[in-house]
Amino acid sequence: MEPHVLVLGGGFGGLWATRALASAPVRITLVDRTNHHLFQPLLYQVAMAGLSAPDIAAPLRHILRRQRNVGVRMDEALAIDVATRRVTFAQGTLEYDYLIVATGSRHAYFGHDEWASHAPGLKTLDDAVMIRRRMLEAFERAERESDPDVQSEWLDFVIIGGGPTGVELAGTLAEIARHTLPREFRRCDPRKANIHLVEAGPRVLPSMPESLSANARSQLERLGVRVHTGRAVTRIDDRGVLLGDQPIVARTVLWAAGVAASPLGAQLGAERDRAGRVKVEADLSVPGHPEVFVIGDLASVVQDGQPVPGVAPAAKQMGAHAARAIRNRIAGRASAPFRYRDYGNLATIGRMAAVVDLRGLRFSGAFAWLFWLVAHIFFLIGFRNRMVVMSEWIWSYFTYQRDARIIIGRERDARD
Amino acid sequence: MEPHVLVLGGGFGGLWATRALASAPVRITLVDRTNHHLFQPLLYQVAMAGLSAPDIAAPLRHILRRQRNVGVRMDEALAIDVATRRVTFAQGTLEYDYLIVATGSRHAYFGHDEWASHAPGLKTLDDAVMIRRRMLEAFERAERESDPDVQSEWLDFVIIGGGPTGVELAGTLAEIARHTLPREFRRCDPRKANIHLVEAGPRVLPSMPESLSANARSQLERLGVRVHTGRAVTRIDDRGVLLGDQPIVARTVLWAAGVAASPLGAQLGAERDRAGRVKVEADLSVPGHPEVFVIGDLASVVQDGQPVPGVAPAAKQMGAHAARAIRNRIAGRASAPFRYRDYGNLATIGRMAAVVDLRGLRFSGAFAWLFWLVAHIFFLIGFRNRMVVMSEWIWSYFTYQRDARIIIGRERDARD
């Protein structure tokens, strides 16, 4: 029988590895906890009510329906035994000849797990729907509040973390407060909302060149975002945050600050870095286990003295590389080491506001924003999603409307 | 100060009443538990993964943004005191000069509340997202099950209730199993799914003429649905249902059988019918309280010996009538009694399958289905939603795809 390749995780890494094995003489099982591949770069748009959840996700088995050598399984991997080559799931066990671990990362609170209920993070569609609910409910609460002090607390928002997600959330939230909502409220004025963006490091978008960080900051400030850099959050509760010893009172706090690698990485018997990422060999395999590969956010790869960033293009490239290494292994050929090709870095801030760094070619503002738009539409999975998202964006651009402003789900909200 | 009209519920009744008071010399507060108006006739499409939740809902304050005499409040009414003209909400209290109660109905289990966790009903967007999750998860479980008996239990579905919602769910589910999913599964065959539709009465669509009921039944059977009429469900658990003494084994059971009026109706001091609906005067006001109106599903109105049905057109007409009665009261004029104008009755079954009864003009099949489609697109709130839904439908029609096949949310599922 053909060798069995087990792929854990249907994100960019796992899905690209699976696709790259389409014509290989293997049987593949792709396992994910959810039933869908998520286009994570647009997740903040679901959280900010610009897109609906199905717009940026597609069922994995639908994406892979024509690839006959793959079976998709919705299940949760609980334990990996590299000695017996066996993975235990919530329901059942599977053996493998080759294993690709692509289970990514989850947001992390740096040892302050008690912050989780006050400051939800953004990694899954469920997270996004929950943040959308909290954001929309905050304005609703402000509207029905008669005490002006409490009302203003509901209109204030703190976003922790000045990376791409934090910047996107802050810029979009400022736009919503200024342009989308004002005419619709009678008792509170959404334009009075204060959006605070907090970054512990010296500048926002730390992975960008310094000039673009400065540029992003001034674009944010033009949208009305208050940017606080160089100060870490020391406390979060249901009334706001403590920044060093300065309190910022706000009823809604969002977390975009830290990630920790998937706990499955700890079960591979390999050395890990401080964030829990697995230190892999040059071909992305686990030391001592050439049949096990770790790719995407879960892999710690250093290239030219720099860590390869945890971004979608790197995950896709690693997926394709692991697939190639498996084909070579089966064919008895040697594999070249993995090399990350960095095509550039871009981040959006809001309407007509973005920064782009294409290997030294740097630009910002309206043209960068259009570039960001086209790139994201282009890379979205599936013809259908692309059309829907494009039409949503064109509509929103001209109307300032956001059509997913629907509160669904109930939770025991820490703020109740 | 102008009189204060308090409207409870932002469904068809409450929203139409509010709009009809646009130019009246009143201040209006519209209160709903959610932040949106829901186009309930298409709710089954969200449950069956054809549309996403924001496609069929729009924020109430967005719909009413230009109507300056109305304030929208997202809150839950807990108690009505008709003596002091005061309503208590989860947050705060409001006084009224006129009250319109339009809080509708909820699904009900005829005294078997223990069935709720096994057989979820369909009234809100949260319900729809939960049913979508259960339906999609059932196929996922079948796919990873190795025991063929258990596998077939996961492929079997029972829908209880042969009214419009039950018929729509059964027909659509049969289509999904036969056309949408088959190529995507490797270990189970979705075409082997059995869809059972159970109706305690003698025929499906009991509000339709008998000939159309028979027609609907044969259209359902052509889609592969097994229709059981004249037998009531006596037991539901996580393995299926008992139909009299015949068991139907199925892991997924959906409830479309009964509704009960909103419990707020009990607080008006008026007589109620068996389903809890408030018996109102000819002008829809509550006996002894001419300033309180009950409209929509919560009102029990008998006309020409027949109860006015709990459908959207009736709720809209009652809303407009209550608004007119309030204007007349303010102007010191008398109001004519409410008369329901029945423009017809239509129900869809599946692709190219529907039945239509337009005051005696009856037709079914492909033309009825097109008629249903156009009518529903036409009545959808908002230009934007109409465009999106129409394009979703055209896409689905040609591809058999359903683009909202995304599992979100977690629950303590009774089936775990």
Side-chain angles (χ1 to χ4, degrees):
Chain A
M1 199 142 85
E2 288 161 336
H4 181 221
V5 180
L6 179 56
V7 182
L8 304 182
F12 288 108
L15 182 56
W16 260 250
T18 302
R19 284 169 148 185
L21 287 167
S23 59
V26 294
R27 293 173 297 124
I28 309 164
T29 307
L30 173 61
V31 187
D32 197 282
R33 274 192 299 196
T34 72
N35 76 330
H36 51 268
H37 172 72
L38 175 64
F39 191 77
Q40 211 133 15
L42 290 180
L43 192 57
Y44 83 97
Q45 288 265 4
V46 175
M48 292 291 111
L51 295 173
S52 63
D55 288 347
I56 61 157
L60 283 164
R61 57 176 78 258
H62 182 64
I63 298 171
L64 294 164
R65 66 196 180 282
R66 294 203 185 85
Q67 187 174 333
R68 301 307 304 181
N69 68 347
V70 60
V72 174
R73 179 185 175 109
M74 180 181 159
D75 209 340
E76 185 166 2
L78 302 176
I80 300 173
D81 185 345
V82 287
T84 60
R85 299 189 180 181
R86 200 186 290 264
V87 177
T88 306
F89 296 93
Q91 291 210 335
T93 301
L94 289 178
E95 296 187 356
Y96 62 81
D97 299 298
Y98 295 95
L99 177 68
I100 299 178
V101 187
T103 45
S105 56
R106 190 67 205 145
H107 50 264
Y109 293 89
F110 309 132
H112 288 280
D113 287 346
E114 74 278 13
W115 292 354
S117 64
H118 303 300
L122 184 60
K123 266 284 172 188
T124 66
L125 279 179
D126 283 322
D127 295 340
V129 170
M130 199 233 258
I131 288 178
R132 181 176 79 192
R133 179 170 60 230
R134 289 203 179 195
M135 182 265 290
L136 296 172
E137 276 182 359
F139 289 102
E140 295 295 334
R141 296 236 186 164
E143 176 75 351
R144 64 176 186 253
E145 184 58 54
S146 40
D147 178 333
D149 291 337
V150 179
Q151 188 177 64
S152 103
E153 291 177 17
W154 281 111
L155 287 178
D156 288 352
F157 297 83
V158 177
I159 291 144
I160 302 170
T165 302
V167 167
E168 284 159 354
L169 288 173
T172 314
L173 193 43
E175 259 184 43
I176 290 172
R178 258 136 231 260
H179 297 292
T180 308
L181 300 182
R183 283 198 309 172
E184 304 186 7
F185 287 75
R186 303 283 186 261
R187 292 155 45 99
C188 78
D189 184 354
R191 279 168 301 200
K192 290 191 182 152
N194 290 305
I195 320 292
H196 299 271
L197 179 64
V198 174
E199 164 61 40
R203 56 195 177 95
V204 299
L205 299 180
S207 65
M208 285 277 190
E210 268 187 54
S211 63
L212 289 181
S213 288
N215 194 303
R217 181 181 184 134
S218 67
Q219 292 190 62
L220 280 167
E221 286 169 345
R222 217 169 305 135
L223 285 166
V225 175
R226 301 189 185 190
V227 181
H228 309 259
T229 49
R231 278 188 299 171
V233 168
T234 51
R235 189 189 150 87
I236 308 178
D237 61 24
D238 57 359
R239 296 291 298 285
V241 306
L242 211 55
L243 213 56
D245 50 10
Q246 181 207 342
I248 304 181
V249 179
R251 299 270 183 156
T252 310
V253 182
L254 305 179
W255 184 260
V259 295
S262 152
L264 286 176
Q267 304 191 16
L268 301 173
E271 212 184 324
R272 288 177 303 140
D273 71 7
R274 228 163 41 99
R277 285 180 297 236
V278 179
K279 295 187 176 176
V280 291
E281 302 280 5
D283 69 346
L284 305 179
S285 69
V286 170
H289 285 283
E291 76 285 3
V292 179
F293 296 84
V294 179
I295 61 174
D297 278 11
L298 184 57
S300 167
V301 182
V302 176
Q303 179 170 309
D304 308 333
Q306 294 277 0
V308 172
V311 294
K316 292 180 189 177
Q317 292 175 29
M318 290 187 209
H321 184 89
R324 216 175 302 124
I326 290 173
R327 285 162 177 269
N328 285 339
R329 198 81 46 82
I330 291 171
R333 291 189 302 258
S335 287
F338 172 73
R339 282 225 40 102
Y340 169 54
R341 295 196 56 170
D342 182 2
Y343 293 102
N345 201 348
L346 59 180
T348 184
I349 295 156
R351 200 181 181 74
M352 299 287 228
V355 290
V356 173
D357 174 27
L358 298 177
R359 313 172 99 178
L361 173 63
R362 296 169 192 170
F363 50 103
S364 60
F367 183 67
W369 182 73
L370 278 170
F371 183 88
W372 177 91
L373 223 69
V374 170
H376 280 72
I377 290 281
F378 180 79
F379 284 114
L380 244 189
I381 283 246
F383 167 75
R384 169 88 184 104
N385 288 356
R386 260 176 236 169
M387 295 287 289
V388 173
V389 169
M390 198 156 61
S391 64
E392 296 270 359
W393 284 355
I394 292 170
W395 174 264
S396 301
Y397 182 78
F398 287 108
T399 63
Y400 281 96
Q401 281 316 314
R402 309 186 72 78
D403 275 338
R405 276 172 48 206
I406 302 301
I407 297 177
I408 55 175
R410 276 158 196 254
E411 51 163 337
R412 274 179 311 252
D413 194 319
R415 307 175 304 178
D416 276 329
Chain B
M1 199 143 80
E2 289 161 336
H4 181 220
V5 180
L6 179 55
V7 181
L8 304 182
F12 288 109
L15 182 56
W16 259 251
T18 302
R19 285 169 149 185
L21 288 167
S23 59
V26 294
R27 293 173 297 123
I28 310 164
T29 306
L30 172 61
V31 187
D32 197 281
R33 274 193 297 196
T34 72
N35 75 331
H36 50 269
H37 172 71
L38 176 64
F39 192 76
Q40 212 133 13
L42 290 180
L43 192 56
Y44 83 97
Q45 288 265 3
V46 174
M48 293 291 113
L51 294 172
S52 63
D55 288 347
I56 60 158
L60 283 163
R61 57 176 78 260
H62 182 63
I63 298 172
L64 294 165
R65 67 196 178 281
R66 293 201 187 85
Q67 187 175 331
R68 301 307 303 180
N69 68 347
V70 60
V72 174
R73 180 185 175 109
M74 179 180 161
D75 209 340
E76 185 166 2
L78 302 177
I80 300 173
D81 185 345
V82 286
T84 60
R85 300 191 179 179
R86 199 186 290 263
V87 177
T88 306
F89 296 93
Q91 292 209 333
T93 300
L94 289 179
E95 297 187 355
Y96 62 81
D97 299 298
Y98 294 95
L99 177 68
I100 299 179
V101 187
T103 46
S105 56
R106 189 68 204 146
H107 51 266
Y109 294 89
F110 308 133
H112 288 281
D113 287 345
E114 73 278 13
W115 292 354
S117 64
H118 302 301
L122 184 60
K123 265 285 172 187
T124 67
L125 278 178
D126 284 323
D127 295 339
V129 170
M130 199 232 258
I131 288 178
R132 181 175 80 192
R133 180 171 58 230
R134 289 202 179 195
M135 182 266 290
L136 296 172
E137 277 183 358
F139 289 103
E140 294 295 334
R141 296 235 188 165
E143 176 76 351
R144 62 176 187 252
E145 183 59 54
S146 39
D147 179 334
D149 290 339
V150 179
Q151 189 177 62
S152 102
E153 291 176 18
W154 281 112
L155 287 178
D156 289 352
F157 298 83
V158 177
I159 292 143
I160 301 170
T165 302
V167 166
E168 285 159 352
L169 289 174
T172 314
L173 194 43
E175 259 184 42
I176 290 172
R178 259 136 232 261
H179 297 294
T180 308
L181 300 182
R183 284 197 309 171
E184 304 186 7
F185 286 75
R186 304 285 185 258
R187 292 154 46 99
C188 78
D189 183 355
R191 279 168 302 199
K192 290 192 182 150
N194 290 306
I195 320 293
H196 299 270
L197 178 64
V198 175
E199 164 61 41
R203 56 194 178 95
V204 298
L205 301 179
S207 64
M208 286 278 189
E210 267 188 53
S211 64
L212 289 182
S213 287
N215 194 304
R217 181 181 183 133
S218 68
Q219 292 191 63
L220 280 167
E221 286 170 343
R222 216 170 305 136
L223 285 167
V225 175
R226 301 187 185 193
V227 181
H228 309 259
T229 49
R231 279 188 297 171
V233 169
T234 51
R235 189 188 149 86
I236 308 179
D237 62 24
D238 57 358
R239 297 291 299 283
V241 307
L242 211 54
L243 213 56
D245 50 10
Q246 180 207 345
I248 304 181
V249 179
R251 299 271 183 156
T252 310
V253 181
L254 306 179
W255 184 260
V259 295
S262 153
L264 286 176
Q267 305 191 14
L268 300 173
E271 212 185 323
R272 288 175 303 140
D273 71 7
R274 228 163 40 99
R277 285 181 295 236
V278 178
K279 295 186 177 179
V280 291
E281 301 282 5
D283 69 345
L284 305 179
S285 69
V286 170
H289 284 283
E291 76 284 5
V292 179
F293 296 84
V294 179
I295 61 175
D297 279 10
L298 184 56
S300 169
V301 182
V302 176
Q303 179 169 309
D304 307 333
Q306 294 277 359
V308 171
V311 295
K316 292 180 189 176
Q317 291 175 29
M318 291 188 208
H321 183 89
R324 216 175 302 125
I326 290 173
R327 284 162 177 270
N328 286 339
R329 198 82 45 83
I330 292 171
R333 292 189 301 257
S335 287
F338 172 73
R339 281 221 47 99
Y340 170 53
R341 297 195 56 169
D342 182 2
Y343 293 101
N345 200 348
L346 59 179
T348 184
I349 296 156
R351 199 180 181 74
M352 299 285 227
V355 290
V356 173
D357 173 27
L358 298 178
R359 313 174 98 180
L361 173 64
R362 295 171 191 169
F363 50 103
S364 60
F367 184 66
W369 182 74
L370 278 171
F371 183 88
W372 177 91
L373 223 70
V374 171
H376 278 73
I377 290 282
F378 180 78
F379 285 114
L380 244 189
I381 282 247
F383 168 76
R384 169 88 184 103
N385 288 356
R386 262 177 234 170
M387 295 288 289
V388 172
V389 169
M390 198 157 60
S391 64
E392 296 269 358
W393 283 354
I394 293 170
W395 174 262
S396 300
Y397 183 77
F398 288 107
T399 63
Y400 282 96
Q401 280 317 314
R402 307 186 74 78
D403 275 338
R405 278 171 47 206
I406 302 300
I407 297 176
I408 54 174
R410 275 156 197 255
E411 51 164 338
R412 273 178 312 247
D413 194 321
R415 308 174 305 176
D416 277 328

